[in-house]
mmCIF file of all heavy atoms in Angstrom:
data_model
loop_
_atom_site.group_PDB
_atom_site.id
_atom_site.type_symbol
_atom_site.label_atom_id
_atom_site.label_comp_id
_atom_site.label_asym_id
_atom_site.label_seq_id
_atom_site.Cartn_x
_atom_site.Cartn_y
_atom_site.Cartn_z
ATOM 1 N N MET A 1 -8.561 12.163 -25.529
ATOM 2 C CA MET A 1 -8.682 12.672 -24.186
ATOM 3 C C MET A 1 -9.390 11.670 -23.305
ATOM 4 O O MET A 1 -8.962 11.389 -22.179
ATOM 5 C CB MET A 1 -9.310 14.015 -24.153
ATOM 6 C CG MET A 1 -8.530 15.165 -24.734
ATOM 7 S SD MET A 1 -9.388 16.739 -24.780
ATOM 8 C CE MET A 1 -9.639 17.035 -23.034
ATOM 9 N N THR A 2 -10.425 11.056 -23.870
ATOM 10 C CA THR A 2 -11.077 10.035 -23.058
ATOM 11 C C THR A 2 -10.197 8.741 -22.923
ATOM 12 O O THR A 2 -10.206 8.180 -21.807
ATOM 13 C CB THR A 2 -12.398 9.639 -23.795
ATOM 14 O OG1 THR A 2 -13.264 10.801 -23.964
ATOM 15 C CG2 THR A 2 -13.216 8.552 -23.061
ATOM 16 N N GLN A 3 -9.479 8.408 -23.951
ATOM 17 C CA GLN A 3 -8.554 7.279 -23.790
ATOM 18 C C GLN A 3 -7.486 7.551 -22.777
ATOM 19 O O GLN A 3 -7.255 6.525 -21.972
ATOM 20 C CB GLN A 3 -7.918 7.045 -25.210
ATOM 21 C CG GLN A 3 -8.715 6.378 -26.250
ATOM 22 C CD GLN A 3 -7.959 6.129 -27.495
ATOM 23 O OE1 GLN A 3 -7.294 6.997 -28.070
ATOM 24 N NE2 GLN A 3 -7.888 4.822 -27.909
ATOM 25 N N VAL A 4 -6.913 8.585 -22.687
ATOM 26 C CA VAL A 4 -5.889 8.986 -21.738
ATOM 27 C C VAL A 4 -6.464 8.846 -20.330
ATOM 28 O O VAL A 4 -5.816 8.281 -19.515
ATOM 29 C CB VAL A 4 -5.318 10.386 -21.895
ATOM 30 C CG1 VAL A 4 -4.405 10.776 -20.835
ATOM 31 C CG2 VAL A 4 -4.468 10.445 -23.208
ATOM 32 N N THR A 5 -7.620 9.323 -20.147
ATOM 33 C CA THR A 5 -8.286 9.269 -18.749
ATOM 34 C C THR A 5 -8.435 7.774 -18.373
ATOM 35 O O THR A 5 -8.078 7.472 -17.231
ATOM 36 C CB THR A 5 -9.690 9.956 -18.815
ATOM 37 O OG1 THR A 5 -9.397 11.299 -19.106
ATOM 38 C CG2 THR A 5 -10.305 9.875 -17.390
ATOM 39 N N ASN A 6 -8.911 6.969 -19.243
ATOM 40 C CA ASN A 6 -9.158 5.557 -18.951
ATOM 41 C C ASN A 6 -7.803 4.852 -18.816
ATOM 42 O O ASN A 6 -7.758 3.882 -17.912
ATOM 43 C CB ASN A 6 -9.985 4.906 -20.074
ATOM 44 C CG ASN A 6 -11.421 5.394 -20.139
ATOM 45 O OD1 ASN A 6 -11.983 5.895 -19.088
ATOM 46 N ND2 ASN A 6 -11.986 5.502 -21.308
ATOM 47 N N ILE A 7 -6.804 5.201 -19.589
ATOM 48 C CA ILE A 7 -5.533 4.534 -19.512
ATOM 49 C C ILE A 7 -4.867 4.783 -18.180
ATOM 50 O O ILE A 7 -4.329 3.926 -17.425
ATOM 51 C CB ILE A 7 -4.569 4.885 -20.629
ATOM 52 C CG1 ILE A 7 -5.176 4.229 -21.962
ATOM 53 C CG2 ILE A 7 -3.240 4.398 -20.449
ATOM 54 C CD1 ILE A 7 -4.435 4.673 -23.222
ATOM 55 N N LYS A 8 -4.966 6.126 -17.730
ATOM 56 C CA LYS A 8 -4.440 6.562 -16.485
ATOM 57 C C LYS A 8 -5.027 5.935 -15.351
ATOM 58 O O LYS A 8 -4.385 5.491 -14.370
ATOM 59 C CB LYS A 8 -4.545 8.076 -16.359
ATOM 60 C CG LYS A 8 -3.571 8.827 -17.185
ATOM 61 C CD LYS A 8 -2.173 8.732 -16.623
ATOM 62 C CE LYS A 8 -1.112 9.713 -17.373
ATOM 63 N NZ LYS A 8 0.245 9.524 -16.881
ATOM 64 N N ALA A 9 -6.408 5.678 -15.441
ATOM 65 C CA ALA A 9 -7.134 4.943 -14.417
ATOM 66 C C ALA A 9 -6.665 3.523 -14.283
ATOM 67 O O ALA A 9 -6.458 3.018 -13.227
ATOM 68 C CB ALA A 9 -8.658 5.012 -14.711
ATOM 69 N N ALA A 10 -6.416 2.904 -15.487
ATOM 70 C CA ALA A 10 -5.988 1.485 -15.441
ATOM 71 C C ALA A 10 -4.542 1.398 -14.931
ATOM 72 O O ALA A 10 -4.282 0.540 -14.110
ATOM 73 C CB ALA A 10 -5.999 0.959 -16.926
ATOM 74 N N GLU A 11 -3.684 2.319 -15.212
ATOM 75 C CA GLU A 11 -2.332 2.297 -14.608
ATOM 76 C C GLU A 11 -2.367 2.463 -13.104
ATOM 77 O O GLU A 11 -1.640 1.914 -12.452
ATOM 78 C CB GLU A 11 -1.491 3.387 -15.231
ATOM 79 C CG GLU A 11 -0.013 3.428 -14.797
ATOM 80 C CD GLU A 11 0.678 4.715 -15.196
ATOM 81 O OE1 GLU A 11 0.083 5.562 -15.935
ATOM 82 O OE2 GLU A 11 1.859 4.785 -14.807
ATOM 83 N N SER A 12 -3.266 3.345 -12.649
ATOM 84 C CA SER A 12 -3.427 3.714 -11.205
ATOM 85 C C SER A 12 -3.755 2.473 -10.475
ATOM 86 O O SER A 12 -3.258 2.230 -9.348
ATOM 87 C CB SER A 12 -4.438 4.834 -11.132
ATOM 88 O OG SER A 12 -4.598 5.125 -9.634
ATOM 89 N N VAL A 13 -4.673 1.740 -11.023
ATOM 90 C CA VAL A 13 -5.073 0.440 -10.306
ATOM 91 C C VAL A 13 -3.965 -0.492 -10.144
ATOM 92 O O VAL A 13 -3.829 -1.155 -9.045
ATOM 93 C CB VAL A 13 -6.266 -0.262 -11.165
ATOM 94 C CG1 VAL A 13 -6.504 -1.609 -10.619
ATOM 95 C CG2 VAL A 13 -7.461 0.603 -11.140
ATOM 96 N N ILE A 14 -3.035 -0.503 -11.044
ATOM 97 C CA ILE A 14 -1.869 -1.495 -11.017
ATOM 98 C C ILE A 14 -0.735 -0.842 -10.229
ATOM 99 O O ILE A 14 -0.136 -1.504 -9.391
ATOM 100 C CB ILE A 14 -1.423 -1.807 -12.417
ATOM 101 C CG1 ILE A 14 -2.515 -2.491 -13.204
ATOM 102 C CG2 ILE A 14 -0.144 -2.649 -12.318
ATOM 103 C CD1 ILE A 14 -2.199 -2.696 -14.671
ATOM 104 N N ARG A 15 -0.461 0.477 -10.413
ATOM 105 C CA ARG A 15 0.836 1.018 -9.858
ATOM 106 C C ARG A 15 0.566 1.675 -8.455
ATOM 107 O O ARG A 15 1.488 1.562 -7.587
ATOM 108 C CB ARG A 15 1.409 2.024 -10.827
ATOM 109 C CG ARG A 15 2.841 2.401 -10.541
ATOM 110 C CD ARG A 15 3.291 3.615 -11.382
ATOM 111 N NE ARG A 15 3.291 3.231 -12.811
ATOM 112 C CZ ARG A 15 4.363 2.614 -13.403
ATOM 113 N NH1 ARG A 15 5.490 2.355 -12.694
ATOM 114 N NH2 ARG A 15 4.336 2.326 -14.713
ATOM 115 N N ASP A 16 -0.503 2.345 -8.279
ATOM 116 C CA ASP A 16 -0.715 3.169 -7.151
ATOM 117 C C ASP A 16 -1.024 2.428 -5.922
ATOM 118 O O ASP A 16 -1.744 1.325 -6.015
ATOM 119 C CB ASP A 16 -1.736 4.251 -7.365
ATOM 120 C CG ASP A 16 -1.287 5.294 -8.384
ATOM 121 O OD1 ASP A 16 -0.141 5.309 -8.707
ATOM 122 O OD2 ASP A 16 -2.115 6.051 -8.883
ATOM 123 N N VAL A 17 -0.623 2.828 -4.764
ATOM 124 C CA VAL A 17 -0.853 2.100 -3.493
ATOM 125 C C VAL A 17 -2.255 2.459 -2.974
ATOM 126 O O VAL A 17 -2.736 3.514 -3.060
ATOM 127 C CB VAL A 17 0.226 2.434 -2.421
ATOM 128 C CG1 VAL A 17 0.078 3.977 -1.966
ATOM 129 C CG2 VAL A 17 0.218 1.588 -1.215
ATOM 130 N N ASP A 18 -2.795 1.506 -2.355
ATOM 131 C CA ASP A 18 -4.117 1.702 -1.609
ATOM 132 C C ASP A 18 -3.700 2.056 -0.190
ATOM 133 O O ASP A 18 -3.332 1.270 0.585
ATOM 134 C CB ASP A 18 -4.895 0.427 -1.682
ATOM 135 C CG ASP A 18 -6.277 0.560 -0.942
ATOM 136 O OD1 ASP A 18 -6.484 1.476 -0.114
ATOM 137 O OD2 ASP A 18 -7.315 -0.104 -1.378
ATOM 138 N N TYR A 19 -3.891 3.351 0.204
ATOM 139 C CA TYR A 19 -3.344 3.851 1.460
ATOM 140 C C TYR A 19 -4.082 3.151 2.719
ATOM 141 O O TYR A 19 -3.493 2.932 3.628
ATOM 142 C CB TYR A 19 -3.509 5.367 1.546
ATOM 143 C CG TYR A 19 -2.222 6.064 1.006
ATOM 144 C CD1 TYR A 19 -2.193 6.485 -0.273
ATOM 145 C CD2 TYR A 19 -1.206 6.298 1.876
ATOM 146 C CE1 TYR A 19 -1.026 7.192 -0.829
ATOM 147 C CE2 TYR A 19 -0.047 6.962 1.358
ATOM 148 C CZ TYR A 19 -0.054 7.397 0.008
ATOM 149 O OH TYR A 19 1.164 7.931 -0.400
ATOM 150 N N ALA A 20 -5.399 2.904 2.498
ATOM 151 C CA ALA A 20 -6.064 2.293 3.610
ATOM 152 C C ALA A 20 -5.526 0.858 3.790
ATOM 153 O O ALA A 20 -5.262 0.525 4.977
ATOM 154 C CB ALA A 20 -7.617 2.251 3.233
ATOM 155 N N GLN A 21 -5.404 0.098 2.814
ATOM 156 C CA GLN A 21 -4.871 -1.204 2.929
ATOM 157 C C GLN A 21 -3.414 -1.222 3.374
ATOM 158 O O GLN A 21 -2.946 -1.969 4.296
ATOM 159 C CB GLN A 21 -4.922 -1.918 1.516
ATOM 160 C CG GLN A 21 -4.492 -3.417 1.603
ATOM 161 C CD GLN A 21 -4.518 -4.058 0.214
ATOM 162 O OE1 GLN A 21 -5.074 -3.354 -0.747
ATOM 163 N NE2 GLN A 21 -4.115 -5.187 0.087
ATOM 164 N N GLU A 22 -2.494 -0.380 2.824
ATOM 165 C CA GLU A 22 -1.106 -0.352 3.234
ATOM 166 C C GLU A 22 -0.907 0.239 4.626
ATOM 167 O O GLU A 22 0.019 -0.235 5.344
ATOM 168 C CB GLU A 22 -0.310 0.476 2.143
ATOM 169 C CG GLU A 22 1.118 0.183 2.144
ATOM 170 C CD GLU A 22 1.469 -1.293 2.090
ATOM 171 O OE1 GLU A 22 0.867 -1.911 1.168
ATOM 172 O OE2 GLU A 22 2.394 -1.799 2.769
ATOM 173 N N SER A 23 -1.766 1.109 4.984
ATOM 174 C CA SER A 23 -1.615 1.671 6.452
ATOM 175 C C SER A 23 -1.884 0.553 7.372
ATOM 176 O O SER A 23 -1.259 0.372 8.441
ATOM 177 C CB SER A 23 -2.543 2.845 6.628
ATOM 178 O OG SER A 23 -2.161 3.949 5.771
ATOM 179 N N ALA A 24 -2.884 -0.218 7.070
ATOM 180 C CA ALA A 24 -3.241 -1.438 7.948
ATOM 181 C C ALA A 24 -2.134 -2.395 7.943
ATOM 182 O O ALA A 24 -1.696 -2.927 9.045
ATOM 183 C CB ALA A 24 -4.552 -2.069 7.494
ATOM 184 N N ASN A 25 -1.545 -2.687 6.821
ATOM 185 C CA ASN A 25 -0.343 -3.589 6.729
ATOM 186 C C ASN A 25 0.746 -3.029 7.541
ATOM 187 O O ASN A 25 1.503 -3.779 8.151
ATOM 188 C CB ASN A 25 -0.013 -3.859 5.259
ATOM 189 C CG ASN A 25 1.114 -4.782 5.069
ATOM 190 O OD1 ASN A 25 1.029 -5.988 5.597
ATOM 191 N ND2 ASN A 25 2.248 -4.365 4.425
ATOM 192 N N PHE A 26 1.077 -1.735 7.367
ATOM 193 C CA PHE A 26 2.185 -1.123 8.092
ATOM 194 C C PHE A 26 1.950 -1.253 9.582
ATOM 195 O O PHE A 26 2.970 -1.661 10.412
ATOM 196 C CB PHE A 26 2.217 0.362 7.775
ATOM 197 C CG PHE A 26 3.284 1.134 8.550
ATOM 198 C CD1 PHE A 26 4.648 1.021 8.334
ATOM 199 C CD2 PHE A 26 2.889 1.970 9.551
ATOM 200 C CE1 PHE A 26 5.593 1.657 9.072
ATOM 201 C CE2 PHE A 26 3.755 2.689 10.373
ATOM 202 C CZ PHE A 26 5.108 2.488 10.170
ATOM 203 N N ASN A 27 0.783 -1.000 10.107
ATOM 204 C CA ASN A 27 0.521 -1.091 11.560
ATOM 205 C C ASN A 27 0.684 -2.570 11.966
ATOM 206 O O ASN A 27 1.304 -2.818 13.058
ATOM 207 C CB ASN A 27 -0.866 -0.623 11.846
ATOM 208 C CG ASN A 27 -1.035 0.873 11.717
ATOM 209 O OD1 ASN A 27 -0.124 1.621 11.878
ATOM 210 N ND2 ASN A 27 -2.282 1.309 11.323
ATOM 211 N N LYS A 28 0.285 -3.495 11.134
ATOM 212 C CA LYS A 28 0.461 -4.936 11.480
ATOM 213 C C LYS A 28 1.973 -5.208 11.596
ATOM 214 O O LYS A 28 2.427 -5.825 12.555
ATOM 215 C CB LYS A 28 -0.260 -5.778 10.499
ATOM 216 C CG LYS A 28 -0.117 -7.257 10.772
ATOM 217 C CD LYS A 28 -0.699 -8.144 9.654
ATOM 218 C CE LYS A 28 0.255 -8.134 8.500
ATOM 219 N NZ LYS A 28 -0.199 -9.079 7.366
ATOM 220 N N GLN A 29 2.753 -4.816 10.620
ATOM 221 C CA GLN A 29 4.090 -5.135 10.587
ATOM 222 C C GLN A 29 4.901 -4.476 11.672
ATOM 223 O O GLN A 29 5.868 -4.946 12.261
ATOM 224 C CB GLN A 29 4.803 -4.754 9.234
ATOM 225 C CG GLN A 29 4.230 -5.443 8.013
ATOM 226 C CD GLN A 29 4.479 -6.982 8.025
ATOM 227 O OE1 GLN A 29 5.484 -7.340 8.598
ATOM 228 N NE2 GLN A 29 3.657 -7.752 7.352
ATOM 229 N N ASN A 30 4.500 -3.297 12.030
ATOM 230 C CA ASN A 30 5.068 -2.490 13.190
ATOM 231 C C ASN A 30 4.843 -3.226 14.468
ATOM 232 O O ASN A 30 5.787 -3.331 15.283
ATOM 233 C CB ASN A 30 4.491 -1.035 13.171
ATOM 234 C CG ASN A 30 5.322 -0.201 14.022
ATOM 235 O OD1 ASN A 30 6.496 -0.293 14.182
ATOM 236 N ND2 ASN A 30 4.619 0.927 14.635
ATOM 237 N N ILE A 31 3.682 -3.772 14.700
ATOM 238 C CA ILE A 31 3.366 -4.466 15.896
ATOM 239 C C ILE A 31 4.227 -5.759 15.977
ATOM 240 O O ILE A 31 4.770 -6.133 16.998
ATOM 241 C CB ILE A 31 1.865 -4.772 15.963
ATOM 242 C CG1 ILE A 31 1.204 -3.461 16.240
ATOM 243 C CG2 ILE A 31 1.619 -5.760 17.146
ATOM 244 C CD1 ILE A 31 -0.405 -3.665 16.145
ATOM 245 N N ILE A 32 4.256 -6.411 14.795
ATOM 246 C CA ILE A 32 5.016 -7.714 14.748
ATOM 247 C C ILE A 32 6.495 -7.488 15.011
ATOM 248 O O ILE A 32 7.150 -8.239 15.655
ATOM 249 C CB ILE A 32 4.768 -8.407 13.424
ATOM 250 C CG1 ILE A 32 3.316 -8.900 13.234
ATOM 251 C CG2 ILE A 32 5.712 -9.593 13.190
ATOM 252 C CD1 ILE A 32 3.007 -9.426 11.871
ATOM 253 N N SER A 33 6.973 -6.264 14.381
ATOM 254 C CA SER A 33 8.422 -5.937 14.601
ATOM 255 C C SER A 33 8.740 -5.725 16.131
ATOM 256 O O SER A 33 9.683 -6.210 16.637
ATOM 257 C CB SER A 33 8.739 -4.726 13.817
ATOM 258 O OG SER A 33 10.101 -4.307 14.020
ATOM 259 N N GLN A 34 7.780 -5.033 16.736
ATOM 260 C CA GLN A 34 8.016 -4.780 18.184
ATOM 261 C C GLN A 34 8.017 -6.102 19.030
ATOM 262 O O GLN A 34 8.773 -6.378 19.918
ATOM 263 C CB GLN A 34 6.946 -3.835 18.768
ATOM 264 C CG GLN A 34 7.043 -2.402 18.138
ATOM 265 C CD GLN A 34 5.958 -1.509 18.665
ATOM 266 O OE1 GLN A 34 5.653 -1.446 19.909
ATOM 267 N NE2 GLN A 34 5.345 -0.828 17.715
ATOM 268 N N ALA A 35 7.019 -6.939 18.650
ATOM 269 C CA ALA A 35 6.919 -8.223 19.303
ATOM 270 C C ALA A 35 8.077 -9.113 19.007
ATOM 271 O O ALA A 35 8.620 -9.788 19.978
ATOM 272 C CB ALA A 35 5.595 -8.966 18.771
ATOM 273 N N GLY A 36 8.685 -9.023 17.742
ATOM 274 C CA GLY A 36 9.895 -9.770 17.472
ATOM 275 C C GLY A 36 11.043 -9.281 18.212
ATOM 276 O O GLY A 36 11.918 -10.092 18.669
ATOM 277 N N THR A 37 11.196 -7.993 18.449
ATOM 278 C CA THR A 37 12.372 -7.454 19.213
ATOM 279 C C THR A 37 12.167 -7.965 20.705
ATOM 280 O O THR A 37 13.196 -8.355 21.326
ATOM 281 C CB THR A 37 12.273 -5.878 19.202
ATOM 282 O OG1 THR A 37 12.319 -5.507 17.843
ATOM 283 C CG2 THR A 37 13.397 -5.363 20.017
ATOM 284 N N TYR A 38 10.970 -8.007 21.179
ATOM 285 C CA TYR A 38 10.734 -8.528 22.529
ATOM 286 C C TYR A 38 11.076 -9.995 22.644
ATOM 287 O O TYR A 38 11.751 -10.390 23.550
ATOM 288 C CB TYR A 38 9.290 -8.255 22.990
ATOM 289 C CG TYR A 38 9.002 -8.901 24.328
ATOM 290 C CD1 TYR A 38 9.391 -8.178 25.523
ATOM 291 C CD2 TYR A 38 8.254 -10.037 24.383
ATOM 292 C CE1 TYR A 38 9.098 -8.830 26.720
ATOM 293 C CE2 TYR A 38 7.919 -10.577 25.613
ATOM 294 C CZ TYR A 38 8.405 -9.970 26.776
ATOM 295 O OH TYR A 38 8.138 -10.561 28.000
ATOM 296 N N ALA A 39 10.699 -10.742 21.572
ATOM 297 C CA ALA A 39 11.010 -12.161 21.536
ATOM 298 C C ALA A 39 12.480 -12.432 21.464
ATOM 299 O O ALA A 39 12.996 -13.413 22.180
ATOM 300 C CB ALA A 39 10.298 -12.884 20.348
ATOM 301 N N LEU A 40 13.220 -11.599 20.768
ATOM 302 C CA LEU A 40 14.685 -11.754 20.636
ATOM 303 C C LEU A 40 15.307 -11.513 21.951
ATOM 304 O O LEU A 40 16.214 -12.239 22.340
ATOM 305 C CB LEU A 40 15.223 -10.844 19.581
ATOM 306 C CG LEU A 40 16.705 -10.869 19.306
ATOM 307 C CD1 LEU A 40 17.097 -12.209 18.892
ATOM 308 C CD2 LEU A 40 17.125 -9.772 18.214
#
């Protein structure tokens, strides 16, 4: 049971998204996309 907990934690570090980081990246890409549309 202890092993499973630690393995799940290790998998989460690799597979799961960091919402704080990805939300910031999404906002950045969204702004760039709007700017790109204006530039086009």
